[in-house]
Amino acid sequence: MTFPDDYKPRVKEVNEYLMRSLDIVEDERLRAAMAHYPAAGGKRLRPLLATIVAEAVGGKAEAAIPFGVALEMVHNFTLVHDDVMDEDETRRGIATVHAEFGIPEAILAGDALFARAFEIVLISDVDSADVVKLVETLAKAVRILAEGQQLDMDFEHAKSVSSDDYMKMIERKTAVLYSAAAQAGAIVGGGSENQEEAMFEYGRLIGLGFQIWDDVLDLTSDVETFGKPVLNDIRNGKKTLIVVNALEDLKGAERKEFLSVLGKKNATKKELVRARNILDGVGSINHATRVANELVAKAKGQLHVLKESPHKEALKEFADYMVTRKT
Amino acid sequence: MTFPDDYKPRVKEVNEYLMRSLDIVEDERLRAAMAHYPAAGGKRLRPLLATIVAEAVGGKAEAAIPFGVALEMVHNFTLVHDDVMDEDETRRGIATVHAEFGIPEAILAGDALFARAFEIVLISDVDSADVVKLVETLAKAVRILAEGQQLDMDFEHAKSVSSDDYMKMIERKTAVLYSAAAQAGAIVGGGSENQEEAMFEYGRLIGLGFQIWDDVLDLTSDVETFGKPVLNDIRNGKKTLIVVNALEDLKGAERKEFLSVLGKKNATKKELVRARNILDGVGSINHATRVANELVAKAKGQLHVLKESPHKEALKEFADYMVTRKT
């Protein structure tokens, strides 16, 4: 199977399962707020990862669907809450939940998505001991996610952020759901403990690569291709690996100019492009691209625990996709 | 055992377990925000209920402690988020989490408490099948809680709210954690299915009684005894059973006067007292007290599924306490 093209029917299945899972909510307004992001679509990378790993260790994709859907709910709940915290009014071209429904409703819808995720995990067609492991994986992931969001918020006011700080943050805020997805796939697929550990690590590494590549795309793509505004991280003063790395090297007038634009909410297009060019000139975009690729190469190294199969090949392609995607 | 006096050591144990469970959180600020309400104390009625039911069906109190602590975390997480939604600045004499730490931190701390609750449930010393039942009980409870909070928010703008609407709301927003506590106690204590169902119903009924009695105390107590401001529900325009019942009967000038104070944020003490007296005069406070007592009597009827024991007696006292407590 070729990733992601051959997985379109599976994405459709995940989407249907996801939307159907919200039917249980009685209150129409609450249900609508909960469905706002899930209904807007998405690549469903986390559910796909869980299902492909399940197959790659010798199990069935079906067994990983509930956990995948639960992860997608958790992912969406964190988007809803993060958007409130960041006071963002739009997300990928649509109004954020709180912009559309108000802050109280957005907080509540996030909570309800979170709760529903745990109900959905329990539907997994595996024995009780494995269900317990799945719940543990999910709960731990969300607790760590909260720590990641905390670090991200702390960075906004931090005087200096190191590369290590940044990696620690994205490991918690982004990679954690990929490692959980891959680990859960190994659990429901009946993989060995060794495979479970290797898949966790594979997920963690591609998750890190995913985020760094996302930071690169923010600087090198355009809004039509990327599907969301570009050069936003500079405007928002995000301490990405690219920025952190550049600040280690930048000096004199260029450093001064870059810092004057970083976090300038009303920066002009011209200023943002100039700041991007400074990052490019100092080699930081290339550096980040290299780091992302190295992470993905290391991730693929973890796949040696798997027998050869089309699913293993798909996981190689999955890893590559994380750092080659345009959107 | 006499409730609640004989259970002080158990409350202490719950408190220690609860606070210890937050140690895992790395970020100091996040941990402090999560601990803000738990550290302020509380009666810990939900954990106590779970442990006493566990004993009453023939099991050990210890087995119910993790679930009880998880419920307490969930209860506290909903308080944190509800306070943000309601824009309340104080709770029982201390600053609310968002007043102290800011809204983003409060949202995040709530989420992290929620996630941690599910990790804690998994520590329960019961077999995997029962752990799965406990997770299901907790996840369902939180999803229903969100529906209750939604109804509560809807009521603020609703033209008319019936007694049935009110009962539906408090069943979801308040009773659900008591039914979950009692059900979980039956599960971890090794109770029969019949006992589990009866305990769920017992918890539901005392939870309803608890909330109606809380509404009564808001009107009949004083701040020193109650431990929180009184006559607040009138000021906030809460459609309690007392208010709903009164509005069915009130006519003419009294109705007009009452409605002019209901929801008046800057109402004077005199206006509030006058509104309270109108509710009293029309018999609504007595009516609510009677309803609360009837619910508790019905709850005690559910205890026939239990063998005679000091724990069964404690559950009778527990039920009575819900509608006789002064605080």
Side-chain angles (χ1 to χ4, degrees):
Chain A
M1 305 260 285
T2 306
F3 187 85
D5 305 333
D6 288 351
Y7 291 87
K8 280 182 188 156
R10 195 172 291 175
V11 169
K12 193 162 169 273
E13 191 188 345
V14 166
N15 284 337
E16 284 167 3
Y17 199 116
L18 178 58
M19 298 313 293
R20 216 164 48 227
S21 301
L22 304 179
D23 288 347
I24 197 171
V25 178
E26 285 181 35
D27 191 281
E28 221 168 294
R29 190 172 158 78
L30 178 59
R31 194 169 58 243
M34 290 170 74
H36 191 61
Y37 290 165
K43 294 191 279 289
R44 312 304 186 206
L45 291 175
R46 298 161 194 80
L48 286 180
L49 180 56
T51 58
I52 301 172
V53 170
E55 293 173 306
V57 299
K60 295 248 179 269
E62 281 307 314
I65 296 270
F67 191 90
V69 167
L71 271 183
E72 204 58 33
M73 284 183 178
V74 163
H75 172 55
N76 278 279
F77 124 69
T78 60
L79 296 181
V80 176
H81 281 188
D82 286 2
D83 287 342
V84 176
M85 297 183 215
D86 298 343
E87 300 179 9
D88 287 334
E89 296 295 305
T90 60
R91 166 171 294 278
R92 291 186 172 268
I94 65 169
T96 50
V97 174
H98 66 95
E100 179 87 19
F101 295 88
I103 289 176
E105 193 70 51
I107 296 174
L108 195 61
D111 294 344
L113 276 170
F114 189 6
R116 190 73 186 123
F118 280 95
E119 288 188 290
I120 298 298
V121 169
L122 301 179
I123 302 172
S124 305
D125 188 19
V126 291
D127 66 31
S128 296
D130 279 345
V131 173
V132 171
K133 283 177 80 171
L134 293 177
V135 173
E136 193 175 2
T137 303
L138 191 66
K140 185 175 174 186
V142 186
R143 193 236 313 147
I144 291 174
L145 253 173
E147 300 246 25
Q149 170 68 3
Q150 177 71 48
L151 286 175
D152 199 13
M153 296 194 305
D154 290 347
F155 286 1
E156 277 180 42
H157 315 287
K159 274 222 182 80
S160 81
V161 173
S162 70
S163 299
D164 282 354
D165 292 335
Y166 171 82
M167 295 303 287
K168 189 177 160 183
M169 186 275 282
I170 66 167
E171 173 161 340
R172 284 156 181 71
K173 188 167 169 175
T174 306
V176 70
L177 290 187
Y178 288 95
S179 50
Q183 183 183 8
I187 294 170
V188 302
S192 66
E193 206 163 306
N194 185 32
Q195 287 177 322
E196 192 185 317
E197 276 170 30
M199 289 303 97
F200 177 93
E201 183 62 6
Y202 163 87
R204 189 182 76 86
L205 292 164
I206 64 169
L208 294 172
F210 174 92
Q211 185 57 53
I212 295 171
W213 183 245
D214 217 62
D215 300 342
V216 170
L217 288 176
D218 181 77
L219 293 168
T220 58
S221 190
D222 52 78
V223 58
E224 291 75 24
T225 316
F226 196 26
K228 55 184 180 182
V230 293
L231 301 176
N232 239 17
D233 290 346
I234 298 180
R235 190 196 298 280
N236 291 327
K238 287 271 176 200
K239 309 278 191 346
T240 64
L241 182 64
I242 302 163
V243 169
V244 167
N245 178 258
L247 288 176
E248 284 167 10
D249 291 338
L250 281 174
K251 294 201 171 54
E254 270 199 327
R255 182 187 184 88
K256 210 173 148 189
E257 185 181 356
F258 178 74
L259 286 175
S260 74
V261 182
L262 186 69
K264 185 178 177 185
K265 292 279 179 192
N266 61 352
T268 63
K269 181 80 196 281
K270 203 176 151 189
E271 287 174 316
L272 292 171
V273 169
R274 176 72 191 128
R276 186 259 310 276
N277 291 343
I278 292 173
L279 292 173
D280 201 16
V282 77
S284 295
I285 298 179
N286 276 340
H287 170 74
T289 306
R290 201 163 50 241
V291 171
N293 277 289
E294 284 166 8
L295 288 162
V296 160
K298 269 180 78 176
K300 287 192 282 188
Q302 296 291 326
L303 299 176
H304 70 87
V305 298
L306 303 173
K307 282 195 315 193
E308 297 307 317
S309 77
H311 312 298
K312 179 173 175 175
E313 292 308 308
L315 289 176
K316 288 183 196 164
E317 293 170 13
F318 198 118
D320 288 331
Y321 174 77
M322 300 295 257
V323 294
T324 53
R325 66 198 170 85
K326 301 289 177 214
T327 173
Chain B
M1 305 259 285
T2 306
F3 187 86
D5 305 333
D6 288 350
Y7 291 87
K8 280 181 188 155
R10 195 171 294 176
V11 169
K12 193 161 170 274
E13 189 186 347
V14 166
N15 284 336
E16 285 167 1
Y17 199 116
L18 177 59
M19 298 313 292
R20 217 164 48 228
S21 302
L22 303 180
D23 288 347
I24 197 169
V25 178
E26 284 181 36
D27 191 280
E28 220 167 294
R29 190 172 157 78
L30 178 59
R31 193 171 59 243
M34 289 170 75
H36 191 60
Y37 290 165
K43 294 189 280 287
R44 312 304 186 207
L45 291 175
R46 298 160 194 81
L48 286 179
L49 179 56
T51 59
I52 301 171
V53 170
E55 294 173 306
V57 299
K60 295 250 178 267
E62 281 307 313
I65 296 268
F67 191 91
V69 167
L71 270 183
E72 203 61 30
M73 284 184 177
V74 162
H75 172 56
N76 279 279
F77 125 68
T78 61
L79 296 180
V80 176
H81 281 188
D82 286 4
D83 286 342
V84 176
M85 297 183 215
D86 297 344
E87 300 178 8
D88 286 334
E89 297 295 306
T90 60
R91 165 171 296 277
R92 290 186 173 268
I94 65 169
T96 51
V97 175
H98 66 95
E100 180 87 18
F101 295 87
I103 289 177
E105 195 69 53
I107 296 175
L108 195 61
D111 294 345
L113 277 170
F114 189 4
R116 191 74 186 123
F118 280 96
E119 289 188 289
I120 298 299
V121 168
L122 301 178
I123 302 171
S124 306
D125 188 19
V126 293
D127 67 31
S128 296
D130 279 346
V131 174
V132 171
K133 283 177 80 170
L134 293 177
V135 173
E136 192 175 3
T137 303
L138 190 66
K140 185 174 174 187
V142 185
R143 194 236 313 148
I144 291 173
L145 251 173
E147 299 246 25
Q149 171 67 3
Q150 178 71 48
L151 286 175
D152 200 13
M153 295 194 305
D154 291 347
F155 286 2
E156 276 180 42
H157 314 287
K159 275 223 182 78
S160 81
V161 173
S162 69
S163 300
D164 283 353
D165 293 334
Y166 171 83
M167 294 303 287
K168 189 177 160 184
M169 186 274 283
I170 65 167
E171 175 161 339
R172 283 156 182 71
K173 189 167 168 175
T174 306
V176 71
L177 290 188
Y178 287 95
S179 50
Q183 183 184 7
I187 293 171
V188 302
S192 67
E193 207 164 304
N194 185 32
Q195 286 177 322
E196 193 185 318
E197 277 169 31
M199 289 304 97
F200 176 93
E201 183 63 7
Y202 164 86
R204 191 181 75 85
L205 292 164
I206 64 170
L208 294 171
F210 174 91
Q211 185 56 54
I212 295 171
W213 183 245
D214 218 61
D215 301 340
V216 170
L217 287 177
D218 180 78
L219 293 168
T220 58
S221 190
D222 52 80
V223 59
E224 290 76 26
T225 316
F226 196 26
K228 55 184 181 183
V230 294
L231 301 176
N232 240 15
D233 290 346
I234 297 179
R235 190 195 297 279
N236 291 326
K238 287 270 175 200
K239 309 277 192 343
T240 63
L241 182 65
I242 301 163
V243 168
V244 166
N245 178 260
L247 288 176
E248 282 167 11
D249 290 339
L250 281 175
K251 293 201 173 53
E254 271 199 328
R255 182 186 185 87
K256 210 173 147 189
E257 185 181 356
F258 178 73
L259 285 175
S260 74
V261 182
L262 186 69
K264 185 178 177 184
K265 293 280 179 191
N266 61 354
T268 63
K269 181 81 198 277
K270 203 177 152 191
E271 285 173 318
L272 291 171
V273 169
R274 175 71 192 130
R276 187 259 311 276
N277 290 343
I278 291 173
L279 291 173
D280 200 18
V282 76
S284 295
I285 298 178
N286 276 340
H287 169 75
T289 305
R290 200 163 52 241
V291 171
N293 277 289
E294 283 166 9
L295 287 162
V296 160
K298 269 180 80 177
K300 288 192 281 188
Q302 296 291 325
L303 299 176
H304 71 87
V305 298
L306 304 173
K307 283 195 314 194
E308 296 308 317
S309 77
H311 312 298
K312 179 173 176 175
E313 292 307 307
L315 289 176
K316 288 183 196 164
E317 293 170 13
F318 199 119
D320 288 331
Y321 174 77
M322 299 296 255
V323 294
T324 52
R325 67 197 169 86
K326 302 288 177 217
T327 173

